[in-house]
Short mmCIF file of all heavy atoms in Angstrom, two decimals:
data_model
loop_
_atom_site.label_atom_id
_atom_site.label_comp_id
_atom_site.label_asym_id
_atom_site.label_seq_id
_atom_site.Cartn_x
_atom_site.Cartn_y
_atom_site.Cartn_z
N TRP A 30 110.16 101.07 105.25
CA TRP A 30 109.81 102.48 105.02
C TRP A 30 110.88 103.39 105.62
O TRP A 30 110.66 104.13 106.57
CB TRP A 30 108.43 102.84 105.55
CG TRP A 30 107.81 103.89 104.66
CD1 TRP A 30 108.26 105.18 104.48
CD2 TRP A 30 106.71 103.74 103.78
NE1 TRP A 30 107.49 105.84 103.55
CE2 TRP A 30 106.52 104.97 103.10
CE3 TRP A 30 105.84 102.69 103.50
CZ2 TRP A 30 105.52 105.17 102.16
CZ3 TRP A 30 104.84 102.89 102.56
CH2 TRP A 30 104.69 104.12 101.91
N LEU A 31 112.04 103.30 104.99
CA LEU A 31 113.19 104.09 105.43
C LEU A 31 112.99 105.56 105.04
O LEU A 31 112.13 105.89 104.22
CB LEU A 31 114.46 103.53 104.77
CG LEU A 31 114.84 102.12 105.23
CD1 LEU A 31 115.96 101.57 104.37
CD2 LEU A 31 115.23 102.11 106.70
N PRO A 32 113.79 106.48 105.62
CA PRO A 32 113.62 107.91 105.33
C PRO A 32 113.67 108.25 103.85
O PRO A 32 112.96 109.14 103.39
CB PRO A 32 114.77 108.56 106.10
CG PRO A 32 115.06 107.61 107.21
CD PRO A 32 114.81 106.23 106.65
N ASN A 33 114.52 107.52 103.09
CA ASN A 33 114.64 107.80 101.66
C ASN A 33 113.93 106.76 100.80
O ASN A 33 114.34 106.49 99.67
CB ASN A 33 116.12 107.93 101.25
CG ASN A 33 116.98 106.79 101.79
OD1 ASN A 33 116.53 105.97 102.57
ND2 ASN A 33 118.23 106.76 101.37
N ASP A 34 112.85 106.22 101.35
CA ASP A 34 112.00 105.30 100.58
C ASP A 34 111.57 105.99 99.27
O ASP A 34 111.24 107.18 99.27
CB ASP A 34 110.76 104.96 101.42
CG ASP A 34 109.89 103.89 100.79
OD1 ASP A 34 109.30 104.16 99.73
OD2 ASP A 34 109.78 102.80 101.36
N PRO A 35 111.60 105.27 98.14
CA PRO A 35 111.24 105.88 96.84
C PRO A 35 109.83 106.48 96.81
O PRO A 35 109.54 107.33 95.97
CB PRO A 35 111.37 104.72 95.85
CG PRO A 35 112.27 103.73 96.52
CD PRO A 35 112.02 103.87 97.99
N ARG A 36 108.95 106.02 97.70
CA ARG A 36 107.59 106.54 97.72
C ARG A 36 107.49 107.87 98.45
O ARG A 36 106.43 108.52 98.44
CB ARG A 36 106.66 105.52 98.38
CG ARG A 36 106.50 104.24 97.60
CD ARG A 36 105.90 103.13 98.42
NE ARG A 36 106.84 102.64 99.44
CZ ARG A 36 106.62 101.58 100.21
NH1 ARG A 36 105.47 100.91 100.09
NH2 ARG A 36 107.51 101.20 101.10
N GLY A 37 108.57 108.29 99.11
CA GLY A 37 108.54 109.47 99.97
C GLY A 37 108.31 109.05 101.40
O GLY A 37 107.92 107.92 101.69
N SER A 38 108.58 109.94 102.34
CA SER A 38 108.41 109.61 103.75
C SER A 38 108.13 110.87 104.54
O SER A 38 108.13 111.98 103.99
CB SER A 38 109.66 108.92 104.30
OG SER A 38 110.70 109.86 104.54
N ARG A 39 107.91 110.71 105.83
CA ARG A 39 107.70 111.85 106.72
C ARG A 39 108.98 112.27 107.42
O ARG A 39 108.95 113.08 108.35
CB ARG A 39 106.63 111.50 107.76
CG ARG A 39 105.24 111.29 107.17
CD ARG A 39 104.69 112.56 106.57
NE ARG A 39 103.37 112.39 105.99
CZ ARG A 39 102.72 113.35 105.33
NH1 ARG A 39 103.27 114.53 105.19
NH2 ARG A 39 101.53 113.11 104.81
N SER A 40 110.10 111.72 107.00
CA SER A 40 111.39 112.05 107.61
C SER A 40 111.99 113.29 106.95
O SER A 40 111.83 113.50 105.74
CB SER A 40 112.36 110.87 107.47
OG SER A 40 111.86 109.73 108.13
N ARG A 41 112.67 114.08 107.74
CA ARG A 41 113.32 115.29 107.23
C ARG A 41 114.84 115.15 107.19
O ARG A 41 115.54 116.06 106.76
CB ARG A 41 112.92 116.50 108.06
CG ARG A 41 111.43 116.84 107.94
CD ARG A 41 111.11 118.16 108.58
NE ARG A 41 109.70 118.50 108.49
CZ ARG A 41 109.13 119.11 107.45
NH1 ARG A 41 109.86 119.42 106.40
NH2 ARG A 41 107.84 119.39 107.46
N GLU A 42 115.35 114.04 107.68
CA GLU A 42 116.79 113.82 107.64
C GLU A 42 117.07 112.32 107.66
O GLU A 42 116.23 111.52 108.08
CB GLU A 42 117.48 114.49 108.83
CG GLU A 42 117.03 113.99 110.18
CD GLU A 42 117.75 114.68 111.32
OE1 GLU A 42 118.94 115.03 111.14
OE2 GLU A 42 117.15 114.87 112.38
N ILE A 43 118.25 111.95 107.19
CA ILE A 43 118.72 110.56 107.22
C ILE A 43 119.81 110.49 108.27
O ILE A 43 120.86 111.12 108.13
CB ILE A 43 119.26 110.12 105.84
CG1 ILE A 43 118.17 110.27 104.78
CG2 ILE A 43 119.76 108.69 105.90
CD1 ILE A 43 118.66 110.01 103.36
N ARG A 44 119.57 109.75 109.31
CA ARG A 44 120.51 109.70 110.43
C ARG A 44 121.48 108.53 110.33
O ARG A 44 122.43 108.45 111.10
CB ARG A 44 119.74 109.62 111.75
CG ARG A 44 118.85 110.84 112.01
CD ARG A 44 118.12 110.71 113.33
NE ARG A 44 117.25 111.86 113.58
CZ ARG A 44 116.49 112.00 114.65
NH1 ARG A 44 116.48 111.03 115.58
NH2 ARG A 44 115.73 113.08 114.82
N CYS A 45 121.21 107.60 109.43
CA CYS A 45 122.05 106.40 109.30
C CYS A 45 122.89 106.53 108.03
O CYS A 45 122.36 106.53 106.92
CB CYS A 45 121.17 105.15 109.24
SG CYS A 45 122.10 103.61 109.08
N ALA A 46 124.20 106.64 108.19
CA ALA A 46 125.08 106.85 107.05
C ALA A 46 125.05 105.68 106.07
O ALA A 46 125.21 105.87 104.87
CB ALA A 46 126.52 107.08 107.54
N SER A 47 124.80 104.48 106.57
CA SER A 47 124.85 103.29 105.71
C SER A 47 123.74 103.25 104.68
O SER A 47 123.87 102.57 103.66
CB SER A 47 124.81 102.02 106.57
OG SER A 47 123.59 101.93 107.27
N ILE A 48 122.65 103.97 104.91
CA ILE A 48 121.55 103.94 103.95
C ILE A 48 121.46 105.24 103.13
O ILE A 48 120.63 105.34 102.23
CB ILE A 48 120.19 103.68 104.64
CG1 ILE A 48 119.81 104.86 105.55
CG2 ILE A 48 120.20 102.38 105.40
CD1 ILE A 48 118.38 104.79 106.05
N GLU A 49 122.33 106.20 103.44
CA GLU A 49 122.24 107.50 102.77
C GLU A 49 122.45 107.38 101.26
O GLU A 49 121.85 108.11 100.47
CB GLU A 49 123.27 108.45 103.37
CG GLU A 49 123.04 109.90 103.01
CD GLU A 49 123.85 110.83 103.88
OE1 GLU A 49 124.64 110.34 104.71
OE2 GLU A 49 123.69 112.06 103.72
N ALA A 50 123.28 106.41 100.85
CA ALA A 50 123.59 106.26 99.43
C ALA A 50 122.48 105.57 98.65
O ALA A 50 122.54 105.50 97.42
CB ALA A 50 124.89 105.47 99.27
N LEU A 51 121.44 105.09 99.33
CA LEU A 51 120.38 104.35 98.65
C LEU A 51 119.46 105.25 97.83
O LEU A 51 118.79 104.78 96.91
CB LEU A 51 119.53 103.58 99.67
CG LEU A 51 120.25 102.50 100.47
CD1 LEU A 51 119.31 101.89 101.51
CD2 LEU A 51 120.79 101.41 99.55
N GLY A 52 119.40 106.53 98.16
CA GLY A 52 118.52 107.42 97.42
C GLY A 52 118.33 108.73 98.16
O GLY A 52 118.66 108.86 99.34
N GLU A 53 117.77 109.69 97.46
CA GLU A 53 117.56 111.01 98.05
C GLU A 53 116.33 111.04 98.94
O GLU A 53 115.41 110.22 98.81
CB GLU A 53 117.41 112.06 96.95
CG GLU A 53 116.17 111.86 96.08
CD GLU A 53 116.01 112.94 95.03
OE1 GLU A 53 116.92 113.77 94.88
OE2 GLU A 53 114.96 112.94 94.35
N LEU A 54 116.33 111.97 99.85
CA LEU A 54 115.21 112.17 100.77
C LEU A 54 114.11 112.96 100.07
O LEU A 54 114.39 113.95 99.39
CB LEU A 54 115.70 112.91 102.01
CG LEU A 54 114.73 113.08 103.17
CD1 LEU A 54 114.46 111.75 103.85
CD2 LEU A 54 115.29 114.07 104.17
N HIS A 55 112.87 112.52 100.23
CA HIS A 55 111.73 113.26 99.68
C HIS A 55 110.66 113.31 100.76
O HIS A 55 110.08 112.28 101.12
CB HIS A 55 111.17 112.60 98.43
CG HIS A 55 110.08 113.39 97.77
ND1 HIS A 55 108.78 113.37 98.22
CD2 HIS A 55 110.10 114.24 96.72
CE1 HIS A 55 108.03 114.16 97.46
NE2 HIS A 55 108.81 114.71 96.55
N TYR A 56 110.40 114.51 101.31
CA TYR A 56 109.43 114.64 102.40
C TYR A 56 108.01 114.57 101.83
O TYR A 56 107.66 115.28 100.89
CB TYR A 56 109.62 115.96 103.13
CG TYR A 56 108.64 116.13 104.28
CD1 TYR A 56 108.81 115.46 105.48
CD2 TYR A 56 107.53 116.95 104.13
CE1 TYR A 56 107.91 115.59 106.52
CE2 TYR A 56 106.61 117.09 105.17
CZ TYR A 56 106.81 116.41 106.35
OH TYR A 56 105.90 116.53 107.37
N GLY A 57 107.21 113.69 102.41
CA GLY A 57 105.84 113.51 101.96
C GLY A 57 105.76 112.53 100.80
O GLY A 57 106.77 112.19 100.19
N PRO A 58 104.56 112.07 100.47
CA PRO A 58 104.41 111.12 99.36
C PRO A 58 104.71 111.78 98.02
O PRO A 58 104.33 112.92 97.78
CB PRO A 58 102.93 110.71 99.46
CG PRO A 58 102.26 111.85 100.15
CD PRO A 58 103.26 112.40 101.11
N ARG A 59 105.39 111.06 97.16
CA ARG A 59 105.67 111.57 95.83
C ARG A 59 104.38 111.63 95.01
O ARG A 59 103.52 110.77 95.13
CB ARG A 59 106.68 110.68 95.11
CG ARG A 59 108.08 110.74 95.72
CD ARG A 59 109.06 109.93 94.89
NE ARG A 59 110.40 109.96 95.46
CZ ARG A 59 111.31 110.91 95.22
NH1 ARG A 59 111.01 111.91 94.42
NH2 ARG A 59 112.51 110.85 95.78
N ARG A 60 104.28 112.65 94.21
CA ARG A 60 103.07 112.83 93.39
C ARG A 60 102.89 111.65 92.44
O ARG A 60 101.78 111.16 92.25
CB ARG A 60 103.15 114.14 92.61
CG ARG A 60 101.88 114.49 91.85
CD ARG A 60 101.99 115.85 91.21
NE ARG A 60 103.08 115.90 90.24
CZ ARG A 60 102.97 115.48 88.97
NH1 ARG A 60 101.82 114.98 88.54
NH2 ARG A 60 103.99 115.57 88.15
N VAL A 61 103.98 111.20 91.84
CA VAL A 61 103.96 110.01 90.98
C VAL A 61 104.67 108.89 91.73
O VAL A 61 105.87 108.99 92.00
CB VAL A 61 104.65 110.28 89.63
CG1 VAL A 61 104.65 109.00 88.79
CG2 VAL A 61 103.97 111.42 88.90
N GLN A 62 103.92 107.87 92.09
CA GLN A 62 104.48 106.78 92.88
C GLN A 62 105.30 105.82 92.00
O GLN A 62 104.93 105.56 90.85
CB GLN A 62 103.36 106.02 93.57
CG GLN A 62 102.75 106.76 94.75
CD GLN A 62 103.72 106.87 95.91
OE1 GLN A 62 104.10 105.88 96.53
NE2 GLN A 62 104.14 108.09 96.22
N PRO A 63 106.41 105.31 92.54
CA PRO A 63 107.28 104.42 91.74
C PRO A 63 106.64 103.05 91.54
O PRO A 63 105.74 102.65 92.28
CB PRO A 63 108.54 104.32 92.61
CG PRO A 63 108.05 104.55 94.00
CD PRO A 63 106.94 105.55 93.88
N ALA A 64 107.14 102.35 90.55
CA ALA A 64 106.67 100.99 90.28
C ALA A 64 107.11 100.06 91.40
O ALA A 64 108.09 100.33 92.11
CB ALA A 64 107.23 100.51 88.95
N GLY A 65 106.39 98.96 91.56
CA GLY A 65 106.74 97.99 92.59
C GLY A 65 108.15 97.48 92.45
O GLY A 65 108.83 97.21 93.46
N ARG A 66 108.64 97.34 91.22
CA ARG A 66 110.00 96.87 90.98
C ARG A 66 111.02 97.80 91.62
O ARG A 66 112.01 97.35 92.20
CB ARG A 66 110.24 96.77 89.48
CG ARG A 66 111.69 96.49 89.09
CD ARG A 66 111.86 96.55 87.58
NE ARG A 66 111.38 97.81 87.04
CZ ARG A 66 112.07 98.95 87.06
NH1 ARG A 66 113.28 98.99 87.63
NH2 ARG A 66 111.58 100.06 86.52
#
């Protein structure tokens, strides 16, 4: 459950540069949750 988890998170910033490229930050749960894949 990283800060930029596709489901959304409670994080407001990404402090680790190595994971920043994995996806955008979304505060709170996304209204439409992503597929398990």
Side-chain angles (χ1 to χ4, degrees):
W30 213 295
L31 294 170
N33 48 353
D34 186 293
R36 294 165 290 187
S38 77
R39 293 295 180 185
S40 298
R41 295 189 180 274
E42 61 179 327
I43 302 174
R44 298 180 181 179
C45 180
S47 64
I48 66 169
E49 195 166 4
L51 297 176
E53 64 178 7
L54 186 70
H55 185 280
Y56 181 76
R59 291 185 181 274
R60 186 175 61 83
V61 178
Q62 286 291 294
R66 171 186 54 80

